[in-house]
Amino acid sequence: MEEMGFRQRQGSLQGWLTAVVRLLCLLSACSMVATARELRANAYPGVQLTVQNNQVVMDNGIVEVTFSNPEGAVAGIKFSGIDNLLEARNSENTRGYWDIVWNRPEETSKFTRIEGTTFEVVANTDDVVEVSFVSRWSHSSASYLAPLIIDKRFVMRRGSSGFYGYAVFEHPKGWPDLDVGEARIAFKLNGQKFHYMAISDTRQRVMPTAADRASGHELDYQEAVLLTNASNAHIEGEVDDKYQYSCENQENKVHGWISNDPPVGFWMITPSHESHCAGPVKQDLTSHVGPTTLNVFYSNHYAGKDVYMSFRNGEAWKKVYGPFMIYVNSASPEDDESKLWADAKGKMLEETASWPYDFISSKDYPSAAGRGTVGGQLSVQDRYMENGDMPANSAYVGLAAPGEVGSWQTNTKGYQFWTRADENGSFEIKNVRPGVYGLYAWVPGFMGDYLYHRNVTVKPGSKIELPGLVFSPPRFGPTLWEIGIPDRTAAEFYVPLPNPWLMNKVFRNDTGERFRQYGLWDQYSELYPKNDLVYTVGVDNYRRDWFFAHVTRNIGNSTYVPTTWRIDFHLQDVNFRGTYRLQMAVASSTHSHISIRVNGQPVSSTGRFGYDNAIARHGIHGLYWMFSFDMPGSRLRRGTNSVYLAQSSSARLPFEGVMYDYIRFEGPPRTR
Ligand SMILES: *[C@@H]1O[C@H](CO)[C@@H](O)[C@H](O)[C@H]1NC(C)=O
Ligand SMILES: *[C@@H]1O[C@H](CO)[C@@H](O)[C@H](O)[C@H]1NC(C)=O
Ligand SMILES: *[C@@H]1O[C@H](CO)[C@@H](O)[C@H](O)[C@H]1NC(C)=O
Ligand SMILES: *[C@@H]1O[C@H](CO)[C@@H](O)[C@H](O)[C@H]1NC(C)=O
Ligand SMILES: *[C@@H]1O[C@H](CO)[C@@H](O)[C@H](O)[C@H]1NC(C)=O
């Protein structure tokens, strides 16, 4: 349906116009979209662009957006009786801005707001206005600018309650070496108006203010604050930490803030994740106390230095981040927040359905006709589970830069296109930009990663069909026992209730999001004050008896020591000449090094691995790792055996450790 008909019904003028449009629609049976479009065009004024020396203003009669010129920061958003939805107490260039964290090799990293030096009008019709602010490195700016060309674009459409933004980042061939740690756009909202934050159906409420955080008590790291002097009695004594509001890229579709006087919402809508880094389950920040709303296109949160973006030897690179939409809506005073949130979700669905957009002027953003489709069917072959192939039910299937198995999860420079297969393993990936890709997949319920053995080349209009793809997950011999579910998270293990004095009450105890509470890692020391966790196969239940994170133990005085977990299991028979295998899938690791012993004797170790910090960031998973350890049958015995998982890193911090995904012990392969 037409964008305007349903969404922007709240504003007084626009509501009236919409009512007229809908009435006329009804009278003319409204079956012809073209008719509705014409009516829309007539009903709403054309977009006006005003360019002044130090300001550029776009106005479509619904919303008016002011940019600093030529810096290209969003300095003002006027809507529904509020002069500025952004924080006018901040300077013009620190209200709505793109920024990066970057360094030249051997330098420390720095945070830089991207400020344009040239302004250009790209499109200027009644229907759409697009403007460009370009920041360009040169030898004379070498000390304070990253060696990049960054073209920040903003777009406004007739009759649309909001505006669009995107940026084209380029590292031209031959330019100096560069490391980038983060690339995002941030909006600092009007702190006197926006108090209620909504990022999902369950995570929403009146939030602390920036002053509440400033007068609170810092916990184990500066982002986590205990609110000891909150302006709002409801949140006194709670914990606030912006990482509690993170989500996976695939869930990051709409989030933002609500003012109740007047009732107005400000929303970041992300219709596609093709330009976000590191795939669909990479997590990142959304909105948080400030009030702040972000779109983080690239960062190493929940991944660490394994996803750092580096340019060496004059590598040429270009990437379009976005477009995203800033949507604003309003309601009547008697409505509560749920109305604005529901409307924002509806708008998100509309924007997602109209992807790729047909009103973007950059030649670097292909329209629908300039893209292709890749479909196929994937099945799983594991003869220890079933003789025949099994459908890759609900598999994640994606296209990303060519690379090794699983390399998509650290790929940051390219675009990624993901979908979920149906119950039969059939998938279709639409709107793929032209390019050469690897086809990657993983299947919930199975360990490991799939990579198609050939590259997939997508051209404009391509319709590629890849039937008969077969994934053989890691498998050595029959399963003797297993712990957990191979789903790349630790969510199914024992996640304790938070300490009552360290709660964020936005998370209900009964939802699957309890892992986002602060300080859960410390409960390991309370549950296991002297002796470490022992898990007895066949007796214990991993949902109750396997702590979600293998962390260090607090022995008092801020001293943390490594821990060793033990798995006891019974073997009736042992093939003393055979080989057994321990398969270990890990959902997150931070400065860990797990040594494996069996019945007291060393077997192997992971070596030091992982920097994702997902335990401290309440992530329940970070990057995925897969290990296989062989054990000679001569180390085993009939009766009770024990496998030890020992942290051998020198532990310093409370949240260093691993979150296991799934552990499986396999016997010697069947001989045929
Ligand atoms: C507590 O908050 C009030 C304002 O709400 C402020 O005046 C006071 O200084 C704060 N106290 C501390 C210890 O920060
Ligand atoms: C999966 O295959 C079965 C059998 O061919 C079919 O009945 C079913 O509709 C298929 N499911 C989907 C989602 O297409
Ligand atoms: C896939 O493409 C990459 C980059 O273009 C290339 O290095 C690699 O050899 C290709 N792989 C195959 C299997 O063709
Ligand atoms: C959730 O658990 C905490 C204990 O950590 C308890 O204090 C609180 O009352 C519980 N909330 C609900 C709604 O059950
Ligand atoms: C903790 O540290 C203090 C000061 O360093 C010391 O006096 C005390 O004995 C320590 N306590 C323990 C249990 O180690």
Side-chain angles (χ1 to χ4, degrees), residues 413-435:
K413 290 177 183 168
Y415 300 97
Q416 299 200 18
F417 302 86
W418 286 86
T419 193
R420 300 291 296 271
D422 68 13
E423 57 182 317
N424 298 324
S426 293
F427 62 89
E428 186 176 38
I429 308 174
K430 293 182 187 146
N431 299 316
V432 183
R433 287 167 166 263

Side-chain angles (χ1 to χ4, degrees), residues 85-400:
L85 302 186
L86 303 183
E87 182 50 83
R89 289 173 293 190
N90 285 9
S91 68
E92 280 209 334
N93 287 328
T94 61
R95 299 173 190 166
Y97 53 85
W98 281 89
D99 62 59
I100 58 171
V101 173
W102 65 283
N103 60 274
R104 303 279 295 269
E106 319 303 328
E107 290 176 359
T108 54
S109 68
K110 50 192 153 211
F111 166 92
T112 304
R113 282 187 198 89
I114 309 302
E115 298 191 344
T117 50
T118 55
F119 165 71
E120 198 184 318
V121 179
V122 180
N124 188 4
T125 68
D126 278 352
D127 285 331
V128 60
V129 165
E130 177 162 344
V131 294
S132 149
F133 302 90
V134 175
S135 149
R136 188 186 176 95
W137 174 89
S138 68
H139 283 281
S140 60
S141 62
S143 60
Y144 60 92
L145 282 188
L148 291 169
I149 302 170
I150 299 172
D151 183 356
K152 298 186 295 178
R153 300 287 186 99
F154 295 98
V155 184
M156 182 177 275
R157 304 179 75 198
R158 183 206 286 255
S160 165
S161 190
F163 62 101
Y164 298 83
Y166 66 102
V168 186
F169 277 55
E170 185 176 7
H171 184 261
K173 190 169 166 32
W175 279 30
D177 290 355
L178 168 70
D179 294 330
V180 183
E182 184 169 272
R184 57 172 206 175
I185 187 163
F187 289 90
K188 304 287 182 178
L189 305 189
N190 184 328
Q192 281 160 340
K193 294 287 178 196
F194 290 99
H195 301 300
Y196 188 97
M197 187 179 92
I199 62 170
S200 71
D201 287 336
T202 52
R203 284 190 280 177
Q204 53 175 281
R205 65 148 160 188
V206 173
M207 292 292 283
T209 62
D212 291 342
R213 277 186 60 92
S215 67
H217 168 70
E218 186 179 313
L219 296 167
D220 272 351
Y221 44 83
Q222 64 178 17
E223 293 90 343
V225 167
L226 185 62
L227 303 166
T228 51
N229 185 31
S231 49
N232 180 334
H234 289 300
I235 47 181
E236 175 74 12
E238 292 198 38
V239 172
D240 180 70
D241 176 350
K242 63 184 176 183
Y243 289 97
Q244 296 184 312
Y245 298 103
S246 294
C247 71
E248 294 179 348
N249 285 340
Q250 63 180 348
E251 301 166 338
N252 186 350
K253 295 173 176 168
V254 53
H255 58 88
W257 289 81
I258 291 172
S259 149
N260 56 11
D261 181 23
V264 160
F266 176 98
W267 307 105
M268 172 66 73
I269 291 180
T270 306
S272 160
H273 301 290
E274 66 183 36
S275 62
H276 282 118
C277 72
V281 296
K282 166 76 163 63
Q283 296 179 82
D284 227 309
L285 298 172
T286 57
S287 285
H288 60 81
V289 169
T292 299
T293 289
L294 305 173
N295 201 329
V296 184
F297 288 95
Y298 160 61
S299 85
N300 49 27
H301 293 145
Y302 302 93
K305 67 183 185 189
D306 290 310
V307 302
Y308 225 71
M309 188 155 74
S310 293
F311 301 95
R312 295 289 183 274
N313 306 315
E315 178 186 348
W317 171 77
K318 194 186 233 190
K319 186 165 176 178
V320 176
Y321 287 123
F324 58 86
M325 182 191 193
I326 296 299
Y327 175 59
V328 291
N329 56 5
S330 59
S332 40
E334 59 272 16
D335 290 328
D336 65 6
E337 292 87 1
S338 64
K339 179 144 187 199
L340 291 168
W341 168 243
D343 176 66
K345 285 199 298 180
K347 183 65 179 164
M348 176 275 286
L349 292 176
E350 264 180 44
E351 293 299 310
T352 306
S354 49
W355 187 272
Y357 291 145
D358 60 5
F359 53 86
I360 298 295
S361 293
S362 170
K363 63 175 177 5
D364 297 310
Y365 178 80
S367 65
R371 296 172 178 240
T373 300
V374 177
Q377 189 170 22
L378 180 68
S379 52
V380 184
Q381 195 169 73
D382 182 340
R383 67 187 173 91
Y384 287 98
M385 289 179 73
E386 261 182 51
N387 280 331
D389 290 356
M390 297 165 275
N393 186 349
S394 308
Y396 285 78
V397 187
L399 297 164

Side-chain angles (χ1 to χ4, degrees), residues 66-92:
T66 303
F67 303 91
S68 57
N69 184 10
E71 295 89 345
V74 187
I77 303 173
K78 187 172 178 177
F79 173 70
S80 193
I82 302 183
D83 258 0
N84 199 347
L85 302 186
L86 303 183
E87 182 50 83
R89 289 173 293 190
N90 285 9
S91 68
E92 280 209 334

